């Protein structure tokens, strides 16, 4: 049991130290403002401290006049990528997240985040992993997510 507590504590510490920021990945959408116009920025994964699980963070920006909904995420690095919400220190898996019109959906430490479960390989700092984000209305977005140090903090860049 103690062997599991150390990786879990390290993952919790990495999640607490990380925030929203990083690379700027984007994909197009509607330019007329009447539909969702989605792009992704600030994506990153702290180097996993567990051999079978990792967290991921990013921001989905909607410059369009219609809301959309992130319904799923997949990656070739994990068997499953789940969406999690954190409220009052309690993490809960959810089935989707709203992306408001003229707004953004933020995944950051201590809040909404992605969980990469049953890793097929352990991402290392300097690697880049590919994600596919699926939405209720818009087409999918492909995102290149850099792997940063386990203690990376976007506000300081370290």
């Amino acid at each position: 049991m103690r062997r599991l507590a150390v990786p879990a504590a390290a993952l919790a510490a990495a999640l607490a130290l990380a925030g929203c920021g990083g690379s700027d990945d984007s994909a197009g959408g509607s330019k007329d403002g009447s539909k969702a116009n989605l792009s992704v920025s600030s994506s990153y994964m702290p180097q996993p401290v567990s051999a079978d699980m990792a967290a991921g963070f990013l921001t989905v920006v909607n410059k369009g006049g219609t809301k959309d909904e992130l319904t799923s995420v997949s990656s070739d690095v994990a068997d499953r990528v789940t969406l999690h919400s954190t409220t009052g220190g309690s993490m809960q898996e959810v089935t989707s997240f709203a992306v408001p019109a003229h707004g953004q959906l933020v995944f950051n430490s201590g809040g909404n985040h992605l969980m990469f479960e049953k890793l097929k390989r352990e991402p290392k700092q300097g690697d880049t992993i590919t994600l596919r984000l699926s939405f209720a209305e818009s087409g999918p977005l492909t995102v290149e997510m850099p792997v940063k140090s386990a203690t990376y903090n976007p506000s300081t860049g370290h």
Side-chain angles (χ1 to χ4, degrees):
M1 187 69 155
R2 182 180 171 123
R3 290 176 56 203
L4 294 175
V6 172
L11 178 60
L15 289 172
L17 290 172
C20 184
S23 73
D24 290 325
D25 302 311
S26 64
S30 169
K31 302 290 187 213
D32 66 7
S34 64
K35 297 180 183 178
N37 180 5
L38 305 175
S39 64
V40 174
S41 66
S42 306
S43 70
Y44 76 97
M45 171 189 281
Q47 181 173 312
V49 293
S50 165
D52 64 346
M53 183 181 295
F57 308 102
L58 52 82
T59 299
V60 179
V61 177
N62 183 358
K63 293 182 180 176
T66 302
K67 69 178 181 174
D68 207 336
E69 189 173 359
L70 177 64
T71 57
S72 67
V73 178
S74 62
S75 174
D76 63 354
V77 77
D79 278 349
R80 199 172 110 124
V81 182
T82 55
L83 308 171
H84 285 127
S85 172
T86 303
T87 306
S90 176
M91 180 175 70
Q92 180 177 5
E93 183 175 340
V94 298
T95 57
S96 64
F97 279 106
V99 185
H102 304 293
Q104 59 185 1
L105 167 61
V106 177
F107 289 86
N108 62 7
S109 177
N112 303 333
H113 59 278
L114 304 175
M115 289 301 300
F116 295 79
E117 300 174 9
K118 296 184 181 177
L119 294 175
K120 296 176 183 177
R121 63 179 172 81
E122 191 173 349
K124 300 288 186 193
Q125 183 177 345
D127 291 350
T128 300
I129 64 166
T130 302
L131 304 177
R132 179 181 167 104
L133 281 63
S134 297
F135 298 89
E137 303 295 328
S138 302
L141 293 178
T142 299
V143 177
E144 297 297 316
M145 178 178 275
V147 179
K148 303 287 189 175
S149 74
T151 58
Y152 175 73
N153 183 341
S155 65
T156 64
H158 299 98

XYZ file of all heavy atoms in Angstrom, residues 13-104:
627
model
N 1.186 16.277 -6.066
C 2.093 17.425 -5.967
C 2.330 18.046 -7.337
O 2.337 19.268 -7.491
C 3.426 17.001 -5.352
N 2.495 17.209 -8.353
C 2.708 17.731 -9.711
C 1.480 18.495 -10.180
O 1.588 19.553 -10.797
C 3.034 16.599 -10.681
N 0.289 17.969 -9.887
C -0.941 18.659 -10.274
C -1.062 19.988 -9.544
O -1.495 20.987 -10.113
C -2.161 17.788 -9.985
C -2.345 16.566 -10.875
C -3.479 15.693 -10.353
C -2.597 16.959 -12.302
N -0.660 20.024 -8.283
C -0.751 21.261 -7.507
C 0.236 22.304 -7.992
O -0.041 23.502 -7.967
C -0.512 20.967 -6.026
N 1.411 21.864 -8.451
C 2.431 22.803 -8.896
C 2.203 23.309 -10.315
O 2.710 24.346 -10.708
C 3.816 22.145 -8.829
C 4.339 21.896 -7.422
C 5.619 21.078 -7.494
C 4.575 23.206 -6.705
N 1.454 22.560 -11.108
C 1.236 22.930 -12.505
C 0.062 23.889 -12.616
O -0.779 23.945 -11.757
C 0.976 21.672 -13.329
N 0.008 24.625 -13.705
C -1.114 25.524 -13.975
C -1.383 25.547 -15.451
O -0.933 24.691 -16.176
N -2.116 26.515 -15.929
C -2.447 26.595 -17.346
C -1.413 27.455 -18.058
O -1.141 28.568 -17.647
C -3.840 27.191 -17.527
S -4.344 27.194 -19.230
N -0.873 26.978 -19.150
C 0.119 27.717 -19.932
C 0.859 26.749 -20.799
O 0.538 25.582 -20.842
N 1.857 27.182 -21.528
C 2.657 26.275 -22.342
C 2.627 26.636 -23.797
O 2.729 27.795 -24.159
N 2.476 25.610 -24.630
C 2.567 25.812 -26.067
C 1.298 26.414 -26.634
O 0.271 26.456 -25.989
C 2.849 24.475 -26.751
O 1.692 23.684 -26.719
N 1.361 26.861 -27.869
C 0.198 27.394 -28.558
C -0.134 26.500 -29.729
O 0.476 26.585 -30.778
C 0.462 28.823 -29.059
C 0.549 29.815 -27.922
O -0.172 29.633 -26.933
O 1.334 30.764 -28.035
N -1.119 25.620 -29.538
C -1.596 24.740 -30.582
C -2.942 25.284 -31.023
O -3.720 25.735 -30.211
C -1.806 23.323 -30.041
C -0.540 22.751 -29.441
O 0.504 22.821 -30.108
O -0.594 22.254 -28.302
N -3.230 25.235 -32.311
C -4.529 25.727 -32.729
C -5.002 25.029 -33.981
O -4.236 24.442 -34.715
C -4.481 27.242 -32.963
O -3.607 27.553 -34.017
N -6.293 25.114 -34.182
C -6.927 24.613 -35.394
C -8.079 25.548 -35.710
O -8.609 26.212 -34.834
C -7.427 23.195 -35.189
N -8.462 25.592 -36.948
C -9.461 26.555 -37.387
C -10.872 26.174 -37.044
O -11.151 25.121 -36.518
N -11.781 27.041 -37.359
C -13.213 26.853 -37.176
C -13.924 27.865 -38.030
O -13.375 28.381 -38.989
N -15.134 28.201 -37.680
C -15.928 29.166 -38.433
C -15.352 30.567 -38.276
O -15.000 30.982 -37.193
C -17.367 29.149 -37.915
O -18.083 30.225 -38.428
N -15.279 31.307 -39.369
C -14.762 32.680 -39.317
C -15.884 33.714 -39.253
O -15.648 34.873 -38.998
C -13.897 32.975 -40.563
C -12.731 32.028 -40.740
C -11.682 32.231 -39.705
C -10.470 31.383 -40.026
N -9.778 30.918 -38.890
N -17.144 33.279 -39.494
C -18.229 34.256 -39.549
C -18.826 34.598 -38.194
O -19.670 35.478 -38.095
C -19.322 33.791 -40.516
C -20.044 32.535 -40.049
O -19.798 32.071 -38.912
O -20.859 32.016 -40.826
N -18.394 33.926 -37.137
C -18.869 34.243 -35.794
C -20.214 33.632 -35.461
O -20.670 33.729 -34.340
N -20.907 33.006 -36.433
C -22.215 32.423 -36.163
C -22.115 30.990 -35.671
O -23.086 30.436 -35.197
C -23.077 32.473 -37.429
O -22.494 31.665 -38.430
N -20.962 30.384 -35.801
C -20.731 29.024 -35.332
C -19.584 29.049 -34.340
O -18.905 30.047 -34.188
C -20.355 28.116 -36.511
C -21.438 27.969 -37.541
C -20.972 27.054 -38.653
C -22.041 26.953 -39.730
N -21.594 26.108 -40.830
N -19.375 27.914 -33.694
C -18.215 27.809 -32.823
C -16.956 27.917 -33.679
O -16.913 27.439 -34.801
C -18.235 26.478 -32.076
N -15.954 28.619 -33.180
C -14.661 28.777 -33.848
C -13.607 28.415 -32.808
O -13.209 29.250 -32.013
C -14.511 30.217 -34.346
C -13.193 30.448 -35.045
O -12.407 29.530 -35.253
N -12.936 31.691 -35.401
N -13.209 27.148 -32.818
C -12.395 26.603 -31.736
C -10.921 26.531 -32.068
O -10.541 26.237 -33.205
C -12.891 25.193 -31.396
C -14.368 25.067 -31.050
C -14.735 23.601 -30.855
C -14.719 25.884 -29.820
N -10.108 26.792 -31.070
C -8.662 26.600 -31.155
C -8.178 26.165 -29.774
O -8.883 26.302 -28.785
C -7.953 27.877 -31.611
O -8.120 28.908 -30.668
N -6.968 25.631 -29.745
C -6.396 25.159 -28.486
C -5.059 25.850 -28.276
O -4.266 25.988 -29.204
C -6.211 23.621 -28.504
C -5.492 23.145 -27.256
C -7.571 22.939 -28.632
N -4.823 26.276 -27.045
C -3.534 26.885 -26.697
C -3.090 26.358 -25.340
O -3.848 25.702 -24.631
C -3.654 28.414 -26.671
O -4.507 28.818 -25.620
N -1.875 26.668 -24.991
C -1.324 26.413 -23.659
C -1.375 24.944 -23.252
O -1.566 24.633 -22.079
C -2.057 27.262 -22.616
O -2.034 28.616 -22.982
N -1.188 24.038 -24.194
C -1.250 22.622 -23.843
C 0.080 22.129 -23.290
O 1.141 22.544 -23.748
C -1.646 21.791 -25.065
O -0.616 21.767 -26.012
N 0.013 21.265 -22.275
C 1.212 20.597 -21.768
C 0.824 19.457 -20.851
O -0.277 19.402 -20.306
C 2.145 21.561 -21.043
C 1.696 21.949 -19.658
C 2.194 21.302 -18.529
C 0.767 22.965 -19.478
C 1.779 21.663 -17.262
C 0.345 23.318 -18.214
C 0.852 22.668 -17.111
O 0.427 23.016 -15.864
N 1.760 18.532 -20.724
C 1.639 17.412 -19.794
C 2.857 17.455 -18.894
O 3.982 17.428 -19.382
C 1.626 16.076 -20.540
C 1.720 14.849 -19.620
S 1.975 13.301 -20.527
C 0.300 12.997 -21.077
N 2.681 17.525 -17.561
C 3.835 17.353 -16.682
C 4.350 15.917 -16.844
O 3.549 14.993 -16.972
C 3.265 17.556 -15.281
C 1.961 18.262 -15.480
C 1.459 17.808 -16.817
N 5.661 15.740 -16.857
C 6.202 14.385 -16.987
C 5.570 13.513 -15.906
O 5.586 13.873 -14.727
C 7.714 14.376 -16.843
C 8.296 12.980 -17.006
C 9.802 12.983 -17.039
O 10.400 13.764 -17.760
N 10.415 12.111 -16.252
N 4.990 12.383 -16.309
C 4.301 11.537 -15.330
C 5.233 11.049 -14.228
O 6.388 10.724 -14.475
C 3.811 10.362 -16.172
C 3.781 10.864 -17.573
C 4.892 11.858 -17.663
N 4.689 11.008 -13.024
C 5.418 10.471 -11.887
C 4.936 9.052 -11.588
O 5.407 8.414 -10.675
C 5.263 11.371 -10.635
C 5.944 12.705 -10.875
C 3.802 11.574 -10.283
N 4.003 8.594 -12.373
C 3.465 7.241 -12.270
C 3.651 6.575 -13.626
O 3.557 7.238 -14.666
C 1.971 7.319 -11.928
O 1.333 6.087 -12.143
N 3.897 5.288 -13.643
C 4.124 4.566 -14.901
C 2.845 4.325 -15.685
O 2.905 4.007 -16.872
C 4.815 3.237 -14.619
N 1.679 4.492 -15.059
C 0.449 4.171 -15.772
C -0.560 5.306 -15.860
O -1.628 5.144 -16.434
C -0.217 2.944 -15.139
C -0.665 3.189 -13.708
O -0.250 4.181 -13.101
O -1.442 2.364 -13.191
N -0.229 6.501 -15.335
C -1.185 7.601 -15.325
C -0.465 8.944 -15.494
O 0.659 9.113 -15.035
C -1.941 7.590 -13.992
C -3.011 8.624 -13.870
S -3.817 8.552 -12.238
C -4.577 6.944 -12.313
N -1.134 9.868 -16.181
C -0.585 11.215 -16.359
C -1.732 12.218 -16.429
O -2.873 11.854 -16.712
C 0.250 11.288 -17.632
N -1.406 13.480 -16.200
C -2.377 14.565 -16.306
C -2.030 15.436 -17.501
O -0.880 15.469 -17.940
C -2.368 15.408 -15.029
N -3.009 16.149 -18.017
C -2.785 17.071 -19.121
C -3.622 18.318 -18.947
O -4.713 18.273 -18.364
N -3.075 19.426 -19.454
C -3.727 20.721 -19.302
C -3.702 21.464 -20.626
O -2.744 21.348 -21.395
C -3.006 21.551 -18.226
C -2.849 20.814 -16.928
C -1.642 20.245 -16.575
C -3.928 20.666 -16.073
C -1.496 19.552 -15.383
C -3.787 19.967 -14.871
C -2.578 19.421 -14.528
N -4.732 22.263 -20.886
C -4.819 23.059 -22.103
C -5.967 24.045 -21.964
O -6.732 23.994 -21.002
C -5.014 22.168 -23.337
C -6.152 21.140 -23.330
C -7.489 21.751 -23.690
C -5.813 20.033 -24.310
N -6.089 24.933 -22.946
C -7.201 25.869 -23.000
C -7.851 25.756 -24.371
O -7.161 25.825 -25.394
C -6.723 27.322 -22.768
O -6.129 27.409 -21.467
C -7.872 28.314 -22.859
N -9.173 25.565 -24.393
C -9.939 25.570 -25.637
C -10.594 26.939 -25.737
O -11.336 27.349 -24.842
C -11.023 24.468 -25.646
C -11.813 24.511 -26.953
C -10.408 23.093 -25.430
N -10.288 27.669 -26.807
C -10.818 29.009 -27.021
C -11.883 28.939 -28.104
O -11.681 28.308 -29.143
C -9.692 29.989 -27.445
C -10.255 31.376 -27.733
C -8.625 30.050 -26.366
N -13.004 29.604 -27.871
C -14.089 29.665 -28.848
C -14.317 31.131 -29.218
O -14.867 31.892 -28.440
C -15.364 29.059 -28.271
C -16.501 29.025 -29.271
O -16.373 29.483 -30.395
N -17.630 28.480 -28.844
N -13.896 31.512 -30.412
C -14.094 32.881 -30.883
C -15.408 33.030 -31.642
O -15.720 34.101 -32.131
C -12.926 33.304 -31.767
C -11.629 33.423 -31.000
C -10.495 33.891 -31.876
C -9.212 33.994 -31.072
N -8.078 34.355 -31.920
N -16.175 31.961 -31.742
C -17.437 31.980 -32.477
C -18.616 32.366 -31.607
O -18.528 32.456 -30.385
N -19.755 32.552 -32.261
C -20.965 33.004 -31.594
C -21.867 31.891 -31.103
O -22.964 32.161 -30.622
N -21.429 30.641 -31.203
C -22.225 29.509 -30.759
C -21.409 28.652 -29.801
O -20.245 28.389 -30.064
C -22.651 28.639 -31.968
O -23.380 29.446 -32.885
C -23.510 27.469 -31.537
N -22.041 28.231 -28.729
C -21.353 27.357 -27.776
C -21.137 25.978 -28.393
O -21.794 25.601 -29.366
C -22.137 27.238 -26.480
C -23.441 26.479 -26.624
C -24.150 26.363 -25.308
C -25.444 25.565 -25.527
N -26.139 25.279 -24.310
N -20.220 25.225 -27.830
C -19.995 23.844 -28.232
C -19.702 23.062 -26.966
O -19.775 23.611 -25.860
C -18.846 23.741 -29.238
C -18.969 22.525 -30.149
O -19.629 21.536 -29.755
O -18.389 22.543 -31.244
N -19.375 21.797 -27.130
C -19.140 20.944 -25.978
C -18.034 19.948 -26.300
O -18.091 19.269 -27.328
C -20.443 20.199 -25.674
C -20.466 19.430 -24.418
C -21.866 18.866 -24.146
O -22.800 19.096 -24.919
O -21.981 18.159 -23.131
N -17.015 19.910 -25.440
C -15.961 18.907 -25.562
C -16.536 17.602 -25.026
O -16.939 17.518 -23.868
C -14.727 19.313 -24.758
C -13.573 18.309 -24.744
C -12.988 18.111 -26.142
C -12.485 18.775 -23.776
N -16.588 16.580 -25.894
C -17.234 15.327 -25.507
C -16.251 14.195 -25.251
O -16.580 13.257 -24.531
C -18.244 14.884 -26.573
O -17.564 14.769 -27.831
C -19.385 15.892 -26.683
N -15.059 14.254 -25.851
C -14.076 13.200 -25.589
C -12.699 13.627 -26.065
O -12.556 14.533 -26.885
C -14.471 11.884 -26.266
O -14.410 12.000 -27.665
N -11.697 12.943 -25.528
C -10.299 13.159 -25.909
C -9.664 11.783 -26.052
O -9.935 10.886 -25.255
C -9.547 13.984 -24.842
C -8.078 14.159 -25.219
C -10.214 15.341 -24.641
N -8.833 11.626 -27.060
C -8.098 10.373 -27.223
C -6.648 10.680 -27.551
O -6.316 11.772 -28.011
C -8.729 9.503 -28.315
O -8.685 10.172 -29.558
N -5.780 9.706 -27.282
C -4.358 9.840 -27.572
C -3.763 8.450 -27.738
O -4.187 7.510 -27.050
C -3.646 10.567 -26.430
O -2.249 10.583 -26.650
N -2.782 8.341 -28.619
C -2.144 7.046 -28.807
C -1.213 6.685 -27.652
O -0.727 5.567 -27.566
C -1.395 6.988 -30.135
C -0.250 7.989 -30.227
O -0.094 8.820 -29.312
O 0.496 7.940 -31.217
N -0.995 7.587 -26.704
C -0.104 7.325 -25.579
C -0.820 6.602 -24.426
O -0.175 6.051 -23.550
C 0.567 8.630 -25.089
C -0.380 9.474 -24.264
C 1.815 8.342 -24.293
N -2.164 6.596 -24.454
C -2.924 6.000 -23.351
C -4.112 5.202 -23.872
O -4.673 5.523 -24.921
C -3.425 7.098 -22.412
N -4.493 4.182 -23.124
C -5.688 3.413 -23.475
C -6.932 4.285 -23.407
O -7.859 4.113 -24.186
C -5.880 2.229 -22.517
C -5.022 1.031 -22.890
O -4.431 1.019 -23.985
O -4.937 0.100 -22.062
N -6.916 5.237 -22.456
C -8.108 6.053 -22.219
C -7.696 7.431 -21.721
O -6.765 7.559 -20.929
C -8.918 5.346 -21.142
C -10.328 5.708 -21.022
C -10.975 4.745 -20.042
N -11.299 5.476 -18.837
C -12.498 5.545 -18.308
N -13.477 4.878 -18.811
N -12.710 6.260 -17.228
N -8.386 8.464 -22.204
C -8.194 9.817 -21.687
C -9.553 10.260 -21.155
O -10.536 10.274 -21.892
C -7.693 10.801 -22.763
C -7.472 12.188 -22.157
C -6.417 10.297 -23.420
N -9.598 10.602 -19.873
C -10.860 10.995 -19.263
C -10.839 12.473 -18.899
O -9.785 13.074 -18.701
C -11.156 10.150 -18.008
O -10.052 10.244 -17.100
C -11.391 8.687 -18.376
N -12.025 13.044 -18.811
C -12.218 14.447 -18.450
C -12.554 14.502 -16.965
O -13.433 13.771 -16.503
C -13.368 15.046 -19.260
C -13.319 14.873 -20.773
C -14.641 15.325 -21.395
C -12.158 15.650 -21.355
N -11.848 15.374 -16.232
C -12.092 15.486 -14.802
C -12.327 16.937 -14.390
O -11.666 17.846 -14.878
C -10.900 14.944 -13.995
C -10.834 13.462 -13.999
N -9.716 12.775 -14.359
C -11.760 12.530 -13.682
C -9.951 11.475 -14.271
N -11.183 11.312 -13.861
N -13.239 17.093 -13.465
C -13.535 18.374 -12.847
C -13.110 18.290 -11.391
O -13.287 17.250 -10.754
C -15.038 18.639 -12.936
O -15.389 19.774 -12.199
N -12.530 19.358 -10.863
C -12.171 19.403 -9.446
C -12.906 20.577 -8.815
O -12.762 21.712 -9.247
C -10.651 19.564 -9.256
O -9.994 18.493 -9.929
C -10.285 19.549 -7.783
N -13.701 20.258 -7.807
C -14.454 21.270 -7.081
C -14.249 21.049 -5.601
O -14.467 19.931 -5.117
C -15.962 21.187 -7.427
O -16.125 21.252 -8.841
C -16.737 22.310 -6.763
N -13.805 22.059 -4.909
C -13.596 21.953 -3.469
C -12.613 20.858 -3.092
O -12.781 20.210 -2.074
N -11.611 20.632 -3.940
C -10.597 19.632 -3.662
C -11.001 18.209 -4.021
O -10.235 17.275 -3.840
N -12.212 18.034 -4.538
C -12.700 16.709 -4.901
C -12.704 16.556 -6.422
O -13.322 17.350 -7.132
C -14.115 16.515 -4.348
O -14.639 15.285 -4.771
N -12.014 15.511 -6.917
C -11.915 15.259 -8.351
C -13.026 14.307 -8.770
O -13.291 13.318 -8.090
C -10.548 14.661 -8.668
C -10.328 14.351 -10.120
S -8.638 13.793 -10.463
C -8.635 12.181 -9.695
N -13.681 14.622 -9.895
C -14.762 13.780 -10.389
C -14.680 13.675 -11.908
O -14.500 14.684 -12.598
C -16.103 14.381 -9.990
C -17.290 13.582 -10.457
C -18.607 14.175 -9.970
O -18.636 15.233 -9.356
N -19.689 13.500 -10.258
N -14.819 12.456 -12.442
C -14.861 12.268 -13.886
C -16.189 12.784 -14.415
O -17.237 12.582 -13.800
C -14.693 10.784 -14.225
C -14.649 10.533 -15.709
C -14.357 9.075 -16.052
O -13.828 8.327 -15.207
O -14.677 8.695 -17.186
N -16.138 13.487 -15.550
C -17.344 13.996 -16.196
C -17.360 13.522 -17.644
O -16.339 13.111 -18.191
C -17.423 15.544 -16.130
C -17.499 16.017 -14.689
C -16.246 16.200 -16.828
N -18.529 13.590 -18.275
C -18.662 13.098 -19.646
C -18.417 14.175 -20.693
O -18.152 13.858 -21.854
C -20.051 12.490 -19.882
O -21.048 13.472 -19.576
C -20.260 11.266 -18.999
N -18.515 15.452 -20.296
C -18.292 16.535 -21.257
C -18.090 17.849 -20.516
O -18.384 17.959 -19.324
C -19.483 16.660 -22.211
O -20.647 17.022 -21.490
N -17.587 18.843 -21.261
C -17.426 20.201 -20.748
C -17.954 21.181 -21.783
O -17.671 21.039 -22.977
C -15.949 20.548 -20.508
C -15.388 20.040 -19.215
C -14.528 18.957 -19.198
C -15.706 20.654 -18.010
C -13.986 18.495 -18.015
C -15.170 20.196 -16.819
C -14.311 19.117 -16.819
N -18.688 22.183 -21.332
C -19.171 23.233 -22.221
C -18.021 24.151 -22.630
O -17.128 24.433 -21.832
C -20.256 24.055 -21.524
N -18.056 24.589 -23.893
C -17.135 25.603 -24.403
C -18.020 26.778 -24.801
O -18.682 26.734 -25.839
C -16.317 25.098 -25.613
C -15.300 26.152 -26.030
C -15.638 23.774 -25.312
N -18.084 27.832 -23.976
C -19.039 28.916 -24.231
C -18.705 29.724 -25.488
O -17.556 29.823 -25.891
C -18.923 29.792 -22.983
C -17.586 29.470 -22.403
C -17.262 28.062 -22.795
N -19.749 30.281 -26.102
C -19.555 31.197 -27.225
C -18.720 32.374 -26.739
O -18.907 32.852 -25.615
C -20.906 31.694 -27.737
N -17.780 32.821 -27.561
C -16.897 33.941 -27.217
C -16.248 33.734 -25.852
O -16.103 34.679 -25.076
C -17.647 35.273 -27.257
C -18.312 35.544 -28.564
N -17.598 35.770 -29.717
C -19.618 35.573 -28.918
C -18.438 35.953 -30.723
N -19.673 35.833 -30.262
N -15.865 32.509 -25.552
C -15.284 32.207 -24.245
C -14.236 31.123 -24.342
O -13.726 30.821 -25.417
N -13.932 30.520 -23.202
C -12.905 29.490 -23.183
C -13.192 28.444 -22.111
O -13.897 28.700 -21.147
C -11.526 30.091 -22.987
C -11.345 30.894 -21.730
C -9.978 31.564 -21.686
O -9.177 31.445 -22.596
N -9.708 32.271 -20.608
